[in-house]
């Protein structure tokens, strides 16, 4: 990225020392290119937050902590002290980071600093209960150039008696004391994920969470908080994202003492995690950042961080290929001849990865049977998958395959053999959703079985890509074999075993790529993103609906992971019809895919699509690895405009969409961002819907005078490609 403008930081030798400690005042200063985070050890041993915000450079500025002033017997000082990781104990009544119960029933937990260790960009701080050895290690990792601090905790039972954790959070974050804050978050449901909400933070608690066992469509584990004055490009924004694909919770609390606290980690609902003496539990990581450049700055920072540090392959990962997926074309009706025919047509368009979706295995002719039996259906694929894969490869495409490994239909050989493998309470109903049940991945035998199935598929066939689906949440979360004391460990063990399977698969098959799908965007978070190359953002493929889903998604997640398909009209979700170009221009803002039934396309459709796929290949590095500027929001008016600027600054692409013009009124002028004002750019309208006819324009003109696109009809769209003239 071309930022890190902070001269102060360079002057202070930041990159040599992102973590500093002043022993005289017992204060820590963690600094990145965009933020600083400060905390200190108070005289009573509590570890407390001092500051989070724009970069500070002088460690000497930080004061030694003193006890807060007690207001009354009802407002003890602890309530006003911003503890980094508050235990539930003493006179603390707010959301704790850790709540335990010891075997003897004692639940009091007051944590004090013991020691710390700084190693490069890592800081570990040890805390311990004032009486016994309930030991916490707080892990801080600073990503100096990327503007992110990661936090997590390890909770260890160093006492001689068992204890049970009732709530374990990764971190508590504090905004500077004040009021008037606004919370932005992503909520939704199936086929309407990642809708952006921004609302005032009032006294009390707002809970964002999943109780469903997966990340969920309901909320995405991300937040942004501003002081009520931020917009896309300016204003202070504090943000965070939790790396956990199971039950998670983020609480946003405003206290009567002008504190705004965000606490996040495992969902404490139905949580119970026993630790025998010597055992420990690691929380997920909670990543936090600060931007003084509004919501746009915050999301660009997070995207950059995801690309560099979260996604497999990091900055060097290959660009996402153009994909074809069979689902909307054929649903369960897949067979060798039909898929070969589609593959031939997809290859002619320039598709690089052909993915066969649901329906290829077991007795899978609809969603009532077959899940669990991961062998090719002999009627549909009499000679196995090899002939199809060979033909896909011969067409110059990689092959991808859909699986839903965590699930089983009652009508399957697997369930007939292992009815005890599903999540259930003995003697209670096993609710089916989409006529399927959930295998208990927390069990090691189930984990080994699933790994074995996938390993065999990846070994037997040259599969480049697995689309890993999960089409229902967990329910009746019993684990009879674990016993009543331990069975609620399922919530954690399930996810850890999921991660383990993915990690092992990737290690054993290094060229295998994986897509995370959960009926669309039900499993998108920084935990799964460490292990997958793409995610399916929504089952909703209506291009207009997608504009908002994608805009919300882009608050938290990078474009390169967002699989987006062009599908047929009228769209199955809402019956809407928009032009093929419109559908392509929406989908090209992620990892482009095609999910249409190519057998029904006209010659004109093929011509348009071939042109669009070629365009995508020219601009995808800019979209996938560049900076996103959301110029006009799909929530604000009838114009949506997004601009991407390539990481090397040499190319920029503007996408513009209009959904319902009236009175033949023109669209507003679009002023671009992120360009070099002194550079010249070659201006290429993809379809002559641009008022400006100058072949080249300066960055200054593009950003100050702006461009005028001509979008007349309803659901009209265009794109402009700008290439820097050297
Ligand atoms: C849900 C996914 O989101 C779809 O893309 C498709 O893979 C179906 N499952 C298949 O059952």
């Amino acid at each position: 990225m071309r930022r890190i403008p902070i001269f102060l930081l360079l002057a202070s030798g930041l990159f040599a020392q992102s973590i500093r400690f002043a022993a005289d005042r017992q204060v820590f200063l963690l600094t990145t290119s965009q933020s600083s985070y400060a905390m200190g050890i108070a005289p009573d041993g509590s570890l407390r937050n001092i500051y989070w915000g724009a970069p500070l450079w002088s460690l000497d500025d930080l004061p030694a902590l003193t006890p807060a002033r007690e207001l009354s017997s009802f407002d003890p000082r602890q309530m006003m002290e911003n503890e980094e990781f508050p235990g539930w104990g003493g006179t603390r009544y707010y959301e704790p980071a850790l709540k335990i119960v010891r075997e003897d029933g004692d639940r009091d937990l007051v944590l004090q600093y013991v020691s710390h260790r700084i190693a490069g960009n890592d800081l570990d701080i040890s805390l311990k209960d004032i009486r016994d050895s309930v030991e916490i290690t707080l892990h801080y990792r600073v990503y100096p150039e990327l503007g992110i601090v990661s936090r997590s905790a390890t909770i260890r039972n160093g006492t001689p008696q068992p204890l049970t954790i009732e709530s374990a959070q990764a971190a508590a974050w504090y905004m500077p004391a004040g009021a008037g804050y606004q919370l932005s978050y992503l909520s939704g449901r199936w086929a309407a994920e990642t809708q952006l909400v921004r609302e005032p933070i009032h006294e009390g608690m707002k809970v964002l969470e999943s109780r469903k066992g997966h990340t969920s469509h309901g909320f995405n584990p991300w937040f942004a908080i501003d002081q009520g004055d931020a917009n896309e490009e300016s204003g202070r924004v504090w943000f965070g994202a939790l790396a956990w694909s199971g039950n998670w919770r983020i609480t946003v609390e405003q206290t009567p003492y002008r504190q705004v606290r965000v606490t996040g980690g495992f969902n404490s609902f139905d949580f119970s995690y026993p630790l025998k003496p010597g055992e420990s539990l690691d929380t997920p990581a909670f990543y936090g950042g600060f931007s003084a450049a509004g919501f746009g700055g915050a999301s660009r920072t997070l995207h950059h961080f995801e690309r560099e540090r979260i996604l497999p392959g990091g900055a060097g990962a290959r660009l996402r290929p153009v994909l074809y997926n069979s689902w909307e074309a054929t649903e369960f009706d897949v067979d060798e001849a039909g898929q070969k025919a589609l593959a031939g047509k997809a290859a002619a368009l320039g598709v690089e990865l052909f993915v066969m979706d649901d329906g290829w295995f077991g007795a899978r002719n609809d969603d009532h049977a077959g899940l669990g039996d991961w062998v090719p259906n002999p009627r549909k694929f009499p000679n196995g998958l090899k002939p199809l894969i060979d033909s896909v490869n011969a067409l110059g495409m990689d092959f991808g395959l859909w699986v839903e490994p965590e699930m089983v239909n009652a009508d399957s050989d697997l369930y007939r053999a292992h009815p005890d493998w599903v999540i259930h309470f003995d003697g209670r109903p096993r609710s089916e959703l989409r006529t399927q049940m959930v295998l208990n991945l927390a069990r090691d035998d189930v984990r080994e079985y699933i790994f074995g199935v996938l390993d065999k598929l990846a070994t037997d066939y040259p599969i480049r890509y697995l689309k890993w689906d999960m089409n229902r949440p967990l329910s009746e979360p019993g684990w009879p074999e674990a016993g009543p004391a331990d069975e609620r460990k399922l919530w954690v063990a399930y996810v850890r075993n999921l991660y383990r399977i993915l990690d092992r698969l990737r290690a054993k098959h290094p060229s295998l790529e994986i897509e995370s799908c959960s009926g669309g965007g039900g499993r998108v978070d920084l935990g799964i993103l460490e292990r997958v190359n793409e995610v399916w953002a929504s089952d909703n493929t209506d291009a207009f609906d997608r504009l908002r889903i994608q805009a919300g998604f882009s608050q938290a997640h990078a474009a390169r992971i967002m699989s987006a398909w062009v599908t047929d009209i009228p769209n199955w979700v809402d019956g809407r019809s928009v032009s093929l170009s419109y559908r392509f221009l929406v989908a090209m803002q992620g990892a482009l895919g095609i999910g249409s039934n190519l057998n029904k396309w006209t010659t004109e459709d093929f011509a348009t699509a071939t042109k669009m796929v070629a365009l995508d290949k020219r601009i995808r590095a800019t979209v996938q690895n560049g900076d996103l500027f959301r110029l006009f929001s799909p929530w604000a008016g009838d114009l949506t405009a997004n601009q991407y600027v390539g990481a090397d600054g040499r190319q920029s692409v503007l996408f513009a969409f209009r959904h319902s013009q009236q009175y033949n009124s023109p669209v507003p002028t679009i002023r671009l961002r992120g360009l070099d004002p002194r550079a010249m750019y070659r201006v290429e309208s993809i379809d002559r819907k641009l008022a400006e006819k100058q072949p080249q324009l300066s960055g200054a003109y593009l950003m100050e005078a702006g461009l005028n696109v001509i979008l007349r009809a309803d659901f009209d769209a265009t794109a402009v490609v700008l290439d820097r003239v050297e």
Side-chain angles (χ1 to χ4, degrees):
M1 270 209 318
R2 290 153 286 105
R3 45 192 84 102
I4 317 177
I6 313 293
F7 63 95
L8 288 174
L9 304 176
L10 294 171
S12 68
L14 159 76
F15 296 117
Q17 233 185 331
S18 61
I19 301 173
R20 288 178 290 163
F21 178 65
D24 56 343
R25 279 156 295 125
Q26 302 278 289
V27 290
F28 298 90
L29 181 61
L30 282 48
T31 304
T32 78
S33 56
Q34 296 173 45
S35 60
S36 281
Y37 190 90
M39 55 201 159
I41 306 156
D44 67 354
S46 61
L47 180 71
R48 284 158 43 187
N49 179 270
I50 298 176
Y51 173 85
W52 187 23
L56 304 177
W57 61 272
S58 169
L59 184 60
D60 294 341
D61 290 347
L62 299 178
L65 283 169
T66 52
R69 196 170 61 84
E70 206 145 79
L71 278 181
S72 76
S73 60
F74 298 98
D75 307 278
R77 70 173 171 82
Q78 283 83 0
M79 297 295 288
M80 283 154 265
E81 297 176 342
N82 294 343
E83 273 186 65
E84 278 288 291
F85 198 80
W88 187 74
T91 53
R92 292 165 186 80
Y93 303 96
Y94 46 69
E95 184 64 23
L98 181 62
K99 184 172 186 309
I100 62 160
V101 52
R102 297 173 182 81
E103 193 183 38
D104 61 12
D106 180 339
R107 306 192 302 286
D108 191 48
L109 181 68
V110 177
L111 297 173
Q112 278 183 330
Y113 169 89
V114 176
S115 64
H116 72 269
R117 192 177 60 89
I118 297 173
N121 295 322
D122 287 306
L123 165 65
D124 278 355
I125 302 181
S126 303
L127 310 177
K128 190 183 109 23
D129 177 56
I130 47 174
R131 188 198 61 194
D132 55 24
S133 290
V134 179
E135 300 160 355
I136 320 302
T137 309
L138 302 182
H139 309 287
Y140 296 80
R141 171 166 290 181
V142 182
Y143 297 88
E145 301 87 348
L146 297 170
I148 297 287
V149 173
S150 122
R151 295 183 54 189
S152 63
T154 301
I155 300 140
R156 182 174 176 277
N157 180 6
T159 76
Q161 61 168 316
L163 61 82
T164 298
I165 301 173
E166 296 184 330
S167 172
Q169 305 302 306
W173 305 91
Y174 296 85
M175 307 308 122
Y181 282 99
Q182 300 257 340
L183 169 68
S184 298
Y185 59 95
L186 298 169
S187 71
R189 59 174 165 79
W190 173 78
E193 297 87 338
T194 51
Q195 302 296 309
L196 181 63
V197 184
R198 181 164 174 248
E199 63 190 26
I201 299 177
H202 296 300
E203 279 181 25
M205 195 188 297
K206 171 89 183 180
V207 179
L208 314 174
E209 66 171 353
S210 166
R211 297 179 177 192
K212 292 182 158 180
H214 65 141
T215 322
S216 98
H217 305 76
F219 294 104
N220 196 265
W222 167 87
F223 74 89
I225 291 179
D226 71 290
Q227 290 173 314
D229 57 356
N231 57 33
E232 266 301 297
E233 297 306 330
S234 68
R236 296 186 173 94
V237 176
W238 293 259
F239 59 93
L242 196 57
W244 189 242
S245 313
N247 281 2
W248 60 272
R249 188 163 84 133
I250 294 176
T251 57
V252 181
E253 240 180 319
Q254 174 161 337
T255 75
Y257 318 108
R258 291 160 44 92
Q259 293 155 305
V260 173
R261 173 194 291 112
V262 179
T263 310
F266 294 125
N267 197 331
S268 48
F269 178 82
D270 199 44
F271 191 88
S272 171
Y273 203 99
L275 291 183
K276 295 195 188 78
E279 286 183 343
S280 60
L281 172 67
D282 293 321
T283 73
F286 202 168
Y287 298 94
F290 168 86
S291 171
F295 298 107
S299 57
R300 286 188 289 277
T301 299
L302 201 44
H303 297 170
H304 191 205
F305 174 68
E306 287 174 1
R307 288 194 302 264
E308 298 268 333
R309 289 307 166 101
I310 298 290
L311 295 171
R318 71 164 183 151
L319 290 174
R320 300 313 306 149
V322 180
L323 160 165
Y324 179 84
N325 180 292
S326 66
W327 175 245
E328 288 201 23
T330 52
E331 296 203 343
F332 300 98
D333 197 11
V334 295
D335 62 17
E336 187 180 311
Q339 294 297 300
K340 277 185 177 169
L342 284 172
K345 291 177 179 161
L349 293 172
V351 165
E352 299 155 304
L353 170 63
F354 182 87
V355 183
M356 178 163 66
D357 209 282
D358 201 347
W360 59 269
F361 52 90
R364 188 76 167 165
N365 297 314
D366 53 35
D367 62 15
H368 287 69
L371 283 178
D373 301 339
W374 300 107
V375 283
N377 177 294
R379 182 180 58 78
K380 299 175 181 181
F381 296 93
N383 301 305
L385 299 181
K386 192 153 186 314
L388 172 62
I389 300 178
D390 285 349
S391 116
V392 166
N393 291 161
L395 287 162
M397 298 184 292
D398 286 324
F399 181 77
L401 190 65
W402 180 94
V403 287
E404 194 178 1
E406 296 150 271
M407 300 292 159
V408 67
N409 289 117
D411 185 1
S412 67
D413 293 340
L414 183 66
Y415 189 68
R416 283 182 280 273
H418 296 286
D420 53 322
W421 276 11
V422 303
I423 295 178
H424 70 283
F425 290 114
D426 267 344
R428 306 273 317 165
R430 304 166 178 207
S431 294
E432 294 186 16
L433 292 167
R434 209 194 191 205
T435 53
Q436 62 196 55
M437 291 169 279
V438 189
L439 292 172
N440 187 353
L441 216 58
R443 288 173 57 135
D444 288 349
D445 51 357
V446 174
R447 179 195 67 209
E448 289 308 302
Y449 172 79
I450 292 177
F451 173 77
V453 164
L454 298 173
D455 179 38
K456 181 163 165 36
L457 279 172
T459 305
D460 289 354
Y461 297 113
I463 295 173
R464 183 75 206 268
Y465 186 90
L466 276 182
K467 176 178 172 182
W468 182 310
D469 206 346
M470 183 216 197
N471 280 301
R472 59 156 293 174
L474 280 53
S475 64
E476 295 105 6
W479 181 4
E481 302 73 25
D486 281 317
E487 78 174 345
R488 278 189 268 177
K489 281 184 169 174
L490 179 144
W491 293 121
V492 174
Y494 184 100
V495 179
R496 291 258 149 86
N497 273 347
L498 167 73
Y499 288 170
R500 234 169 118 185
I501 296 171
L502 290 166
D503 292 343
R504 276 170 72 191
L505 265 181
R506 302 183 63 86
K508 187 149 178 216
H509 305 277
S511 65
L512 182 69
E513 297 183 332
I514 298 174
E515 171 181 340
S516 168
C517 171
S518 178
R523 191 149 62 193
V524 185
D525 61 82
L526 271 65
I528 203 80
L529 291 188
E530 283 182 66
R531 298 162 168 97
V532 300
N533 308 76
E534 284 185 32
V535 300
W536 183 223
S538 181
D539 274 346
N540 187 336
T541 54
D542 169 62
F544 176 58
D545 280 1
R546 271 276 176 152
L547 284 180
R548 285 186 178 174
I549 293 170
Q550 295 185 179
F553 187 98
S554 78
Q555 297 290 330
H557 304 303
R560 66 171 299 143
I561 61 153
M562 184 182 69
S563 183
W565 308 343
V566 170
T567 59
D568 288 330
I569 51 167
N571 188 273
W572 67 275
V573 174
D574 52 19
R576 185 179 286 121
S577 293
V578 301
S579 72
L580 189 55
S581 314
Y582 186 107
R583 284 174 271 156
F584 264 101
L585 292 176
V586 172
M588 280 158 67
Q589 294 180 73
L592 175 65
I594 299 174
S596 290
N597 187 344
L598 302 179
N599 298 320
K600 295 190 179 156
W601 272 16
T602 62
T603 315
E604 199 190 336
D605 290 338
F606 277 104
T608 303
T610 307
K611 208 178 85 191
M612 286 299 200
V613 169
L615 174 63
D616 180 75
K617 290 179 182 172
R618 270 181 56 209
I619 62 160
R620 64 180 161 187
T622 300
V623 170
Q624 293 183 22
N625 288 340
D627 278 344
L628 165 63
F629 295 85
R630 293 176 292 251
L631 305 178
F632 284 83
S633 158
W635 283 283
D638 87 333
L639 174 70
T640 300
N642 294 319
Q643 182 202 352
Y644 299 80
V645 180
D648 60 6
R650 287 167 69 175
Q651 189 184 65
S652 179
V653 191
L654 168 70
F655 294 91
F657 305 86
R658 194 176 199 193
H659 66 78
S660 56
Q661 70 103 351
Q662 280 187 293
Y663 315 116
N664 195 18
S665 47
V667 287
T669 297
I670 302 173
R671 291 187 181 78
L672 304 190
R673 299 192 57 92
L675 303 177
D676 178 350
R678 287 170 304 177
M680 293 300 294
Y681 295 86
R682 206 169 22 254
V683 181
E684 178 193 338
S685 160
I686 65 155
D687 50 14
R688 297 201 204 87
K689 293 181 187 169
L690 181 65
E692 284 71 25
K693 301 296 173 213
Q694 303 90 313
Q696 295 187 0
L697 286 169
S698 68
Y701 188 92
L702 288 160
M703 293 194 289
E704 299 304 330
L707 292 176
N708 293 282
V709 293
I710 306 162
L711 300 177
R712 287 176 174 281
D714 290 350
F715 301 113
D716 206 354
T718 190
V720 179
V721 183
L722 302 160
D723 284 301
R724 188 180 169 129
V725 180
E726 296 306 332

